[in-house]
Every structure is written in C-alpha cells, then in structure tokens.
Amino acid sequence: MKRLLLPLLLLLLTALPLVAQTPATTLSGTVRDAAGQPLPGANVFLKSTFDGASTDSVGRFRFTTRQTGTLSLVVTLLSYQLQEQPVVLDGTAKHFAITLKAARNELGLVVITAGAFEASDEKRATVLTSRDVVTTAGALADVAGALNTLPGISRNGEEGKLFVRGGAAGETKQYLDGLPLQSPYNASVSGVPARGRFTPDLFKGTVFSTGGYSAEYGQALSAAVILNSVDLEPETQTGISLLSLGQVSLSQRQRWERSSVAVTGNYMNMKPYFGLVPQRLLTASESGGGSVAFRQRTGDVGMLKVYGAFTGQHSGVRTPDVEWQNGRPIDLRNTNGYLNASFRSPLRRGWSVQTGVAATRDEQKLHLGVRTVEPDVAQVHELEQSVVGRVVLTNDSVSAYWNLKVGAEGLQQRFLQDAYYQDDTKLPTRAFDEQRAAGFAEANISFTNQLVARVGGRTEYSRVLGRWNAAPRVALAYQTDEYSQLSAAWGDFYQTPANDLLLSAHRNPDLRFERAAHYLLTYQRIHDDRTLRAEAYYKNYAHLLRYDAARLYQPTAYQSTGTGYARGLDLFWRDRKTVKNLDYWVSYGLLDTRRQQRADAGVAMPTFASRHNLSVVSKYWVQKMHTLFGATYSYGSPRASYDPSFQQFHTPSYHDLSVNLSYVTTLWNNLTIVHVSCSNVLGRQNVFGYRYGATPTADLNYARVAITPSAPRMVFVVLMISINKKRPADTNTAPE
C-alpha cells in the first residue's frame, strides 16, 4: 500500500501549480432516449482527451476539465448513434440535455455478456421483449414460459418453473425492481404447472442470467431473473380482456405529465372450460385478484414507484398416486399479498441512489385425501411473511474508465407450518424465523476500448444458520471485432436451504449455506438483426443439504454434505433479417449433471434434468391479414426416475408443438386483438416422471403411476380491447 500511495502523493504535489494556473470547467447534464427515458452507462467525454464520465443509473453525468478552447463533447452508448457537439471551455459551468437516437445494428461498445440474456426495449440489442413473452407459442403469456425456450433450461411440464443448468427450481431467484421475490409463482400442487404471479406488461425490461451474474444479486445457486417494471404509463387507456378459459380482466391506466396510475382486476373460473375439455388432474380452478401501480417522476430523472397486488385462488387436483385409482384428491386454497415500493434519484458528486422495500404475505391451506389403512395427515396450513429492504449507491463519474456500485440488503422472514390428522388432532407447530443481511461492492473497469472487467464481491449473514459467507465474482469481456466479443466469468454463489427443509433442520448447528462455483466462457455476435451466442459452463456444488428420510423431524438427521456438478454447452441463434417479417430463434442445450442431495441414496442425475433440450420458435407477420402467426417446437431427452430401491428408470422423450395467432383489428373504433393458442397440437402423450408405491410387490418391483398433463392439449381464445387506443397505421411489422 505504501508503494502505491507514494507515487500518487508525488503526482498530486506536482500537479498543484498547474491547478492554480488553469481555470476548471464543469460539464454536467442528462442523457436520455427518444422517449425521454434515462440512459445509464453512456460514455460522455471530450474528444482527444481523457476527461469524461459515464452516466449513472438515472442518466446523469458530471465531470470537470482543465482543457480550454473549443472541443467536441462525445456521447456513446451500445446500440445508439454516436453524438458530438462543440463546447467552449472558458471556465464557466455547462449543462446539457442530450437525446440519443437508436442504432439497433451497431455494437459500438464492449459489454459483459457471460451468462446473461437481456430483454429490455428493442433499441438495446435485445434477446427477448415483453411482446416476445406474449406472442411466443406455448408460453401462455407467462414470463417463465417464454424463458423456457432459451438454452440452458430443462423443460418440466409438471412444474412450469425454471430449471437452469442442472439446478432445481428453487435455485433460480427472481427480482422485481432490485428486490427479491419470495413467492414469484402462483400456488400449485406438484404435477400441475405453476404460472408467474405477474403479467408481462408490468415490465419494461428483463435480464435472464443463467450463471456468473453480478454480486448485486444473491441467494441463487443457478440463475437470476431481473425484472424491471415500467416507469410512467405511455398513455391513458382502458383495457378489457375476455379469455375462453373463463377469465375476464379489466384495466385502467391514467397518464399525467409527471405521474401515472394503473389499476387492474381479474377473475377466472375454469369450470365451464372443463366441461368442454375433460381433465385428468384438475377438478377446480378459480382465482381472482387485482393490482395498483403508482408512478411519480421526481426532479429531472428521479422516479418513485409503488406497486401492490393481491390474489386469491382455489384449485382442486387429483394428483397421481399408486394407492388411489383415480388420483389422490387435493384441495388447495391460497391468498397472496405483495407490496413493492422503490425510489431512484441522483445525489451529489456523481452519486445516485436506488432503494426500495417489499413485503409479502403468502398463506396456503391444503386438504389432502387420506388413506384408511394408517394414520395420515389430512390438512396442512403454511404461512410465510417477509419484509426485504435494499439500498444501492452508484457512482459512474469517478472516472471515464471505471465506476463503483455498493449496496446493502436485509430480510426479515417467518415461516410456519401446522398439520392435522383426519380426526383434527394437531401436530406440533413447526416454524423458523430468519434475519438475513447482505452487502456487496462492484466495479466495472475499462482497461482499453476492447477489454473491460467487472470485479465484485458479496457477503451475507443468516441468523437461522448462524453463519457468514463471502462470494467473490469476476467477469471479463473482450471485443474481437465491431460486432463480436468473448466473455468469461467466475464466481461463488450461496443460498440457504429451502423452507421445507429448514422447518426441521434449523436447530442443527452444523448446517451451512449451499454453495455453487460458476465458470463460464461465452462468444456472442450481434449484427444486422442476427444474434449468435455460444456458452460453455461448469458448475461445482458443495454443502447441499441431505437428510435421513426415516428421521424427517429430527434436526440431527440433516447434514450439509451433498455434492454435485453440472457442465454443458448452450447455443442460441436468432434471425429477424433473412426473411422479411419472419422472426425466429433456435436454442439448444447439452447438459451433463450429477448430484446427491435431500434423500438421494447416491450421486445420480437429478430427475428434473434432461441431457438434451431444443426449442425452435418462429413468428411471421402477414401484413395483408393483419395477423401474427407463431409456432414453437420443444424437445427434451428422457429424464431419470428412481424407485425407492434407487433403481433407475427413464421417461419417454418430451415433444411439444404449439401454435398461435394474433389478429389485429378494430372494434367500435378501438384497437382490438384476437389471440388464439393451442399447445401440443399433435396430442403427444408426454410423461414427466413416475410416482412409486412405498413397498415392493410380490415380484419385488415397485408399482408406479405416470405423471402426465391434465389434458393432452390446451386451447383458448383471448379478446383484448384497448379503449381510447386506435389501431396503428399499416406497417410491415406487428404492432406493439
């Protein structure tokens, strides 16, 4: 340290006479896009000098120069046109309001891409957008459904969640405006796919990172889904949606100059649909809820957001079970309340702040069909309550070559479970209380115009474990030419065990954070509306939680001794240029993974992982018909299944061809969209796994029953009317 400080002090001392002789000019301002949205990360500098800065998270910049005369102020940003304007440097402060024009086909800058798929607005070299989510066949307008078409994911039709690179669904964490979501999916019973709680139109951008992600995000061993909500609503509008599944949705969006309010409400009852399309599993599906979103611009670029939502649902399911001829009846009732408030604003001396708080209350009641041969649990009641807060400080004007981000996060959580026998005898309540604190620091460093790095670290403390962890993370990116780059990433990632395990295990002092180390190497080329991406990865697991199934309720039965690995290659190709009005992408993932966790008798391939996964997604806009046609084909190689003796079986391979169309017209002079969708049009009998009997039969084998979809196909029609919004003029592209 002394060797570093001495030359710095000498440099400062020799510069003092020059400071006194040359007047300083301060340059500051904001950089926005054509829609008035702030653009963080833009480089602003004086041409032919080293003086400059990067815009902060709210699009603001500020720096000082001792140059004199007239020089060009240059502004650059990925996928935007370079802008120059002359500036007279005479010692007086200058303020600028700069607007950049989109240049979608230009790369321009080198950025960190290892592990991350970005999906913001179409101006920023995107992979997926909110419109992609809605129009992707088979996704059913669900964010997770659309992300399932990207490489690195094993399709799990019985869960509907994200299983990334050999990781379980709980290893993928979702964030809304920087705050972790405690219950991102609607409640569901195993064997029936869950849907995300939030509609795609809530988000202006999505970043899906399948590994090597920023130190800003924790509690995720495999992947992070970063969801950014819209700022101000674009216009005042009333919306009506009618769904043939038995759903009606109403929305009202009100826009003022500096604020907006959006109110939505919906109700669904699928009982009439069940009369038309018989179901194997579902016997009831009813839900209702609503949301309110308030947005207020503060100052030039600050923003206050408050979002609240409530949902209530009731599901009846006959889940496959060897001991029940027609499936074991389960009745599920769930209520969920969620509140999210966030604020971002510039501070002083180049600093900006992003902060927020979120609260969740999720209550679930399960009524189970009971066996008559032995005592069995008949009812289960679970309640999770949590509050999470976060503050992030960013300084993008420290230097033209590096910036700094620091932050802290805190969580207060309570989880409890009550269980009852058929005679209403109550078992002892199981519960745990968690307080978790985390801090992180991260810097983006530009070594040259072609080489950049992201260096950071994160530390967390868990009260329920009584332990700290430290997670260093590093990423590098090198621009090989104008349109291509190589990226690499390495880091440690930690997560506390799942809630259902902590209920019994939290009193064990030997428990540890589950850990995964990520290693990634990525090549990406974006040019002329075509994207090619290839990524090789290796993931090493340690301290996975294992338990003795014969002693489920004893803390000493749980140990952090599980291990595993996942390695593979992901390929992605998207082309929106070769054929006019055709947009398609192809995703392929090769996965080799083994692990031992929970009650596994040995190291083996997880039941939720497929070695080969392929998705082909296409969308074609027919101008004369004002219709967007879509099709998605998905393939997953056979998955492993194990009976109680740990003998391995395999499911058949997974195949699904889904189609849809969206017809744009007017109804009563208002923009109207008719959307028709059909999943698994060929009626493939997909099998997602097997459930086995507890004891062997006379031939020493175990009886089993297949886990299959509730119906071979799902067909539905949606009518969406946007009152006060006229149909756009005919163009060669589908409307937003």
Side-chain angles (χ1 to χ4, degrees), residues 457-485:
R458 182 181 180 90
T459 183
E460 293 177 316
Y461 174 77
S462 167
R463 179 180 178 274
V464 75
L465 299 179
R467 294 180 182 272
W468 288 89
N469 68 50
R473 300 177 191 178
V474 178
L476 292 170
Y478 178 73
Q479 186 175 5
T480 56
D481 59 37
E482 186 178 1
Y483 307 109
S484 307
Q485 71 175 63

mmCIF file of all heavy atoms in Angstrom, residues 457-485:
data_model
loop_
_atom_site.group_PDB
_atom_site.id
_atom_site.type_symbol
_atom_site.label_atom_id
_atom_site.label_comp_id
_atom_site.label_asym_id
_atom_site.label_seq_id
_atom_site.Cartn_x
_atom_site.Cartn_y
_atom_site.Cartn_z
ATOM 1 N N GLY A 457 -17.723 -8.416 -5.070
ATOM 2 C CA GLY A 457 -17.840 -9.402 -4.013
ATOM 3 C C GLY A 457 -19.107 -9.160 -3.213
ATOM 4 O O GLY A 457 -19.632 -8.039 -3.156
ATOM 5 N N ARG A 458 -19.599 -10.218 -2.602
ATOM 6 C CA ARG A 458 -20.829 -10.155 -1.816
ATOM 7 C C ARG A 458 -20.632 -10.959 -0.540
ATOM 8 O O ARG A 458 -19.987 -12.019 -0.559
ATOM 9 C CB ARG A 458 -21.997 -10.731 -2.625
ATOM 10 C CG ARG A 458 -23.346 -10.674 -1.911
ATOM 11 C CD ARG A 458 -24.438 -11.291 -2.774
ATOM 12 N NE ARG A 458 -25.741 -11.251 -2.115
ATOM 13 C CZ ARG A 458 -26.608 -10.256 -2.219
ATOM 14 N NH1 ARG A 458 -26.319 -9.220 -2.988
ATOM 15 N NH2 ARG A 458 -27.766 -10.291 -1.577
ATOM 16 N N THR A 459 -21.168 -10.464 0.553
ATOM 17 C CA THR A 459 -21.130 -11.203 1.805
ATOM 18 C C THR A 459 -22.524 -11.210 2.419
ATOM 19 O O THR A 459 -23.280 -10.245 2.279
ATOM 20 C CB THR A 459 -20.111 -10.603 2.790
ATOM 21 O OG1 THR A 459 -20.054 -11.409 3.972
ATOM 22 C CG2 THR A 459 -20.490 -9.180 3.182
ATOM 23 N N GLU A 460 -22.886 -12.328 3.064
ATOM 24 C CA GLU A 460 -24.212 -12.488 3.644
ATOM 25 C C GLU A 460 -24.099 -13.123 5.028
ATOM 26 O O GLU A 460 -23.188 -13.915 5.289
ATOM 27 C CB GLU A 460 -25.088 -13.389 2.771
ATOM 28 C CG GLU A 460 -25.450 -12.815 1.425
ATOM 29 C CD GLU A 460 -26.261 -13.796 0.590
ATOM 30 O OE1 GLU A 460 -25.902 -14.984 0.551
ATOM 31 O OE2 GLU A 460 -27.250 -13.365 -0.014
ATOM 32 N N TYR A 461 -25.068 -12.794 5.867
ATOM 33 C CA TYR A 461 -25.190 -13.440 7.174
ATOM 34 C C TYR A 461 -26.599 -13.976 7.321
ATOM 35 O O TYR A 461 -27.581 -13.280 7.026
ATOM 36 C CB TYR A 461 -24.912 -12.466 8.314
ATOM 37 C CG TYR A 461 -25.183 -13.074 9.679
ATOM 38 C CD1 TYR A 461 -24.281 -13.963 10.250
ATOM 39 C CD2 TYR A 461 -26.357 -12.787 10.368
ATOM 40 C CE1 TYR A 461 -24.531 -14.546 11.485
ATOM 41 C CE2 TYR A 461 -26.624 -13.359 11.603
ATOM 42 C CZ TYR A 461 -25.703 -14.237 12.157
ATOM 43 O OH TYR A 461 -25.956 -14.814 13.383
ATOM 44 N N SER A 462 -26.718 -15.220 7.772
ATOM 45 C CA SER A 462 -28.005 -15.845 8.024
ATOM 46 C C SER A 462 -28.119 -16.172 9.504
ATOM 47 O O SER A 462 -27.287 -16.907 10.046
ATOM 48 C CB SER A 462 -28.157 -17.130 7.200
ATOM 49 O OG SER A 462 -29.257 -17.894 7.649
ATOM 50 N N ARG A 463 -29.153 -15.636 10.139
ATOM 51 C CA ARG A 463 -29.358 -15.908 11.561
ATOM 52 C C ARG A 463 -29.747 -17.357 11.792
ATOM 53 O O ARG A 463 -29.304 -17.988 12.756
ATOM 54 C CB ARG A 463 -30.436 -14.985 12.126
ATOM 55 C CG ARG A 463 -30.735 -15.205 13.608
ATOM 56 C CD ARG A 463 -31.826 -14.260 14.097
ATOM 57 N NE ARG A 463 -32.146 -14.498 15.504
ATOM 58 C CZ ARG A 463 -33.024 -15.396 15.929
ATOM 59 N NH1 ARG A 463 -33.657 -16.155 15.047
ATOM 60 N NH2 ARG A 463 -33.271 -15.547 17.215
ATOM 61 N N VAL A 464 -30.576 -17.922 10.905
ATOM 62 C CA VAL A 464 -31.029 -19.286 11.115
ATOM 63 C C VAL A 464 -29.874 -20.280 10.995
ATOM 64 O O VAL A 464 -29.882 -21.335 11.644
ATOM 65 C CB VAL A 464 -32.168 -19.635 10.134
ATOM 66 C CG1 VAL A 464 -31.638 -19.865 8.730
ATOM 67 C CG2 VAL A 464 -32.971 -20.829 10.622
ATOM 68 N N LEU A 465 -28.853 -19.950 10.204
ATOM 69 C CA LEU A 465 -27.666 -20.791 10.109
ATOM 70 C C LEU A 465 -26.575 -20.367 11.083
ATOM 71 O O LEU A 465 -25.685 -21.155 11.415
ATOM 72 C CB LEU A 465 -27.101 -20.768 8.683
ATOM 73 C CG LEU A 465 -28.010 -21.271 7.562
ATOM 74 C CD1 LEU A 465 -27.300 -21.164 6.220
ATOM 75 C CD2 LEU A 465 -28.465 -22.707 7.808
ATOM 76 N N GLY A 466 -26.629 -19.095 11.498
ATOM 77 C CA GLY A 466 -25.587 -18.571 12.364
ATOM 78 C C GLY A 466 -24.246 -18.483 11.669
ATOM 79 O O GLY A 466 -23.194 -18.657 12.297
ATOM 80 N N ARG A 467 -24.248 -18.201 10.356
ATOM 81 C CA ARG A 467 -23.013 -18.198 9.573
ATOM 82 C C ARG A 467 -22.962 -17.021 8.603
ATOM 83 O O ARG A 467 -23.992 -16.484 8.194
ATOM 84 C CB ARG A 467 -22.875 -19.497 8.765
ATOM 85 C CG ARG A 467 -22.695 -20.745 9.610
ATOM 86 C CD ARG A 467 -22.564 -21.975 8.729
ATOM 87 N NE ARG A 467 -22.444 -23.189 9.513
ATOM 88 C CZ ARG A 467 -21.294 -23.684 9.959
ATOM 89 N NH1 ARG A 467 -20.153 -23.051 9.682
ATOM 90 N NH2 ARG A 467 -21.279 -24.797 10.665
ATOM 91 N N TRP A 468 -21.725 -16.672 8.230
ATOM 92 C CA TRP A 468 -21.435 -15.708 7.174
ATOM 93 C C TRP A 468 -20.949 -16.468 5.937
ATOM 94 O O TRP A 468 -20.461 -17.589 6.027
ATOM 95 C CB TRP A 468 -20.330 -14.734 7.600
ATOM 96 C CG TRP A 468 -20.737 -13.742 8.629
ATOM 97 C CD1 TRP A 468 -20.673 -13.889 9.986
ATOM 98 C CD2 TRP A 468 -21.258 -12.429 8.397
ATOM 99 N NE1 TRP A 468 -21.125 -12.755 10.621
ATOM 100 C CE2 TRP A 468 -21.489 -11.833 9.664
ATOM 101 C CE3 TRP A 468 -21.557 -11.693 7.253
ATOM 102 C CZ2 TRP A 468 -21.996 -10.545 9.809
ATOM 103 C CZ3 TRP A 468 -22.069 -10.419 7.391
ATOM 104 C CH2 TRP A 468 -22.279 -9.859 8.655
ATOM 105 N N ASN A 469 -21.051 -15.826 4.782
ATOM 106 C CA ASN A 469 -20.353 -16.324 3.598
ATOM 107 C C ASN A 469 -19.705 -15.151 2.876
ATOM 108 O O ASN A 469 -20.062 -13.993 3.111
ATOM 109 C CB ASN A 469 -21.290 -17.105 2.662
ATOM 110 C CG ASN A 469 -22.347 -16.226 2.005
ATOM 111 O OD1 ASN A 469 -22.034 -15.180 1.444
ATOM 112 N ND2 ASN A 469 -23.609 -16.655 2.059
ATOM 113 N N ALA A 470 -18.770 -15.445 2.017
ATOM 114 C CA ALA A 470 -18.102 -14.430 1.187
ATOM 115 C C ALA A 470 -18.042 -14.957 -0.232
ATOM 116 O O ALA A 470 -17.574 -16.078 -0.463
ATOM 117 C CB ALA A 470 -16.705 -14.130 1.705
ATOM 118 N N ALA A 471 -18.536 -14.167 -1.192
ATOM 119 C CA ALA A 471 -18.679 -14.624 -2.573
ATOM 120 C C ALA A 471 -17.983 -13.667 -3.531
ATOM 121 O O ALA A 471 -18.571 -12.673 -3.960
ATOM 122 C CB ALA A 471 -20.158 -14.750 -2.930
ATOM 123 N N PRO A 472 -16.716 -13.937 -3.902
ATOM 124 C CA PRO A 472 -16.054 -13.110 -4.923
ATOM 125 C C PRO A 472 -16.577 -13.455 -6.311
ATOM 126 O O PRO A 472 -16.925 -14.607 -6.591
ATOM 127 C CB PRO A 472 -14.583 -13.517 -4.769
ATOM 128 C CG PRO A 472 -14.632 -14.916 -4.238
ATOM 129 C CD PRO A 472 -15.854 -14.993 -3.369
ATOM 130 N N ARG A 473 -16.623 -12.441 -7.192
ATOM 131 C CA ARG A 473 -17.095 -12.654 -8.561
ATOM 132 C C ARG A 473 -16.314 -11.767 -9.526
ATOM 133 O O ARG A 473 -16.077 -10.593 -9.241
ATOM 134 C CB ARG A 473 -18.594 -12.371 -8.675
ATOM 135 C CG ARG A 473 -19.422 -13.278 -7.777
ATOM 136 C CD ARG A 473 -20.892 -12.988 -7.795
ATOM 137 N NE ARG A 473 -21.574 -13.700 -6.733
ATOM 138 C CZ ARG A 473 -22.864 -13.608 -6.468
ATOM 139 N NH1 ARG A 473 -23.630 -12.818 -7.202
ATOM 140 N NH2 ARG A 473 -23.400 -14.294 -5.471
ATOM 141 N N VAL A 474 -15.929 -12.344 -10.667
ATOM 142 C CA VAL A 474 -15.134 -11.635 -11.670
ATOM 143 C C VAL A 474 -15.676 -11.976 -13.056
ATOM 144 O O VAL A 474 -16.022 -13.133 -13.322
ATOM 145 C CB VAL A 474 -13.641 -12.021 -11.588
ATOM 146 C CG1 VAL A 474 -12.844 -11.299 -12.679
ATOM 147 C CG2 VAL A 474 -13.070 -11.711 -10.217
ATOM 148 N N ALA A 475 -15.751 -10.986 -13.928
ATOM 149 C CA ALA A 475 -16.140 -11.213 -15.321
ATOM 150 C C ALA A 475 -15.278 -10.339 -16.221
ATOM 151 O O ALA A 475 -14.905 -9.219 -15.860
ATOM 152 C CB ALA A 475 -17.619 -10.894 -15.536
ATOM 153 N N LEU A 476 -14.936 -10.860 -17.387
ATOM 154 C CA LEU A 476 -14.138 -10.154 -18.384
ATOM 155 C C LEU A 476 -14.839 -10.223 -19.733
ATOM 156 O O LEU A 476 -15.526 -11.203 -20.028
ATOM 157 C CB LEU A 476 -12.739 -10.771 -18.520
ATOM 158 C CG LEU A 476 -11.777 -10.628 -17.352
ATOM 159 C CD1 LEU A 476 -10.551 -11.507 -17.584
ATOM 160 C CD2 LEU A 476 -11.354 -9.174 -17.194
ATOM 161 N N ALA A 477 -14.658 -9.187 -20.547
ATOM 162 C CA ALA A 477 -15.193 -9.187 -21.909
ATOM 163 C C ALA A 477 -14.177 -8.540 -22.839
ATOM 164 O O ALA A 477 -13.614 -7.484 -22.524
ATOM 165 C CB ALA A 477 -16.522 -8.443 -21.974
ATOM 166 N N TYR A 478 -13.954 -9.190 -23.976
ATOM 167 C CA TYR A 478 -13.009 -8.669 -24.975
ATOM 168 C C TYR A 478 -13.705 -8.593 -26.319
ATOM 169 O O TYR A 478 -14.265 -9.581 -26.812
ATOM 170 C CB TYR A 478 -11.787 -9.572 -25.082
ATOM 171 C CG TYR A 478 -10.801 -9.106 -26.127
ATOM 172 C CD1 TYR A 478 -10.006 -7.977 -25.901
ATOM 173 C CD2 TYR A 478 -10.689 -9.771 -27.340
ATOM 174 C CE1 TYR A 478 -9.106 -7.533 -26.858
ATOM 175 C CE2 TYR A 478 -9.797 -9.338 -28.307
ATOM 176 C CZ TYR A 478 -9.015 -8.222 -28.057
ATOM 177 O OH TYR A 478 -8.127 -7.787 -29.014
ATOM 178 N N GLN A 479 -13.686 -7.404 -26.922
ATOM 179 C CA GLN A 479 -14.327 -7.184 -28.216
ATOM 180 C C GLN A 479 -13.375 -7.629 -29.311
ATOM 181 O O GLN A 479 -12.317 -7.040 -29.543
ATOM 182 C CB GLN A 479 -14.687 -5.706 -28.388
ATOM 183 C CG GLN A 479 -15.486 -5.426 -29.640
ATOM 184 C CD GLN A 479 -15.937 -3.977 -29.717
ATOM 185 O OE1 GLN A 479 -15.578 -3.176 -28.875
ATOM 186 N NE2 GLN A 479 -16.731 -3.659 -30.716
ATOM 187 N N THR A 480 -13.765 -8.706 -30.030
ATOM 188 C CA THR A 480 -12.890 -9.250 -31.070
ATOM 189 C C THR A 480 -13.001 -8.479 -32.383
ATOM 190 O O THR A 480 -12.039 -8.418 -33.140
ATOM 191 C CB THR A 480 -13.243 -10.727 -31.319
ATOM 192 O OG1 THR A 480 -14.635 -10.834 -31.659
ATOM 193 C CG2 THR A 480 -12.980 -11.555 -30.060
ATOM 194 N N ASP A 481 -14.178 -7.938 -32.676
ATOM 195 C CA ASP A 481 -14.344 -7.056 -33.825
ATOM 196 C C ASP A 481 -15.555 -6.170 -33.553
ATOM 197 O O ASP A 481 -16.071 -6.140 -32.439
ATOM 198 C CB ASP A 481 -14.495 -7.838 -35.143
ATOM 199 C CG ASP A 481 -15.684 -8.788 -35.138
ATOM 200 O OD1 ASP A 481 -16.734 -8.439 -34.561
ATOM 201 O OD2 ASP A 481 -15.563 -9.894 -35.697
ATOM 202 N N GLU A 482 -16.012 -5.457 -34.567
ATOM 203 C CA GLU A 482 -17.059 -4.468 -34.363
ATOM 204 C C GLU A 482 -18.354 -5.072 -33.844
ATOM 205 O O GLU A 482 -19.129 -4.418 -33.149
ATOM 206 C CB GLU A 482 -17.330 -3.733 -35.683
ATOM 207 C CG GLU A 482 -18.316 -2.578 -35.556
ATOM 208 C CD GLU A 482 -18.522 -1.855 -36.883
ATOM 209 O OE1 GLU A 482 -17.912 -2.274 -37.886
ATOM 210 O OE2 GLU A 482 -19.298 -0.887 -36.901
ATOM 211 N N TYR A 483 -18.588 -6.361 -34.154
ATOM 212 C CA TYR A 483 -19.868 -6.965 -33.812
ATOM 213 C C TYR A 483 -19.763 -8.156 -32.858
ATOM 214 O O TYR A 483 -20.794 -8.691 -32.448
ATOM 215 C CB TYR A 483 -20.579 -7.438 -35.090
ATOM 216 C CG TYR A 483 -20.698 -6.356 -36.134
ATOM 217 C CD1 TYR A 483 -19.939 -6.405 -37.304
ATOM 218 C CD2 TYR A 483 -21.554 -5.281 -35.951
ATOM 219 C CE1 TYR A 483 -20.040 -5.410 -38.261
ATOM 220 C CE2 TYR A 483 -21.658 -4.275 -36.901
ATOM 221 C CZ TYR A 483 -20.896 -4.343 -38.055
ATOM 222 O OH TYR A 483 -20.996 -3.352 -38.992
ATOM 223 N N SER A 484 -18.572 -8.585 -32.511
ATOM 224 C CA SER A 484 -18.408 -9.822 -31.749
ATOM 225 C C SER A 484 -17.567 -9.597 -30.505
ATOM 226 O O SER A 484 -16.749 -8.669 -30.441
ATOM 227 C CB SER A 484 -17.748 -10.905 -32.612
ATOM 228 O OG SER A 484 -18.442 -11.079 -33.815
ATOM 229 N N GLN A 485 -17.736 -10.473 -29.541
ATOM 230 C CA GLN A 485 -16.922 -10.399 -28.338
ATOM 231 C C GLN A 485 -16.876 -11.737 -27.623
ATOM 232 O O GLN A 485 -17.721 -12.620 -27.810
ATOM 233 C CB GLN A 485 -17.455 -9.339 -27.390
ATOM 234 C CG GLN A 485 -18.770 -9.677 -26.713
ATOM 235 C CD GLN A 485 -19.157 -8.618 -25.689
ATOM 236 O OE1 GLN A 485 -19.376 -7.458 -26.039
ATOM 237 N NE2 GLN A 485 -19.236 -9.014 -24.438
#
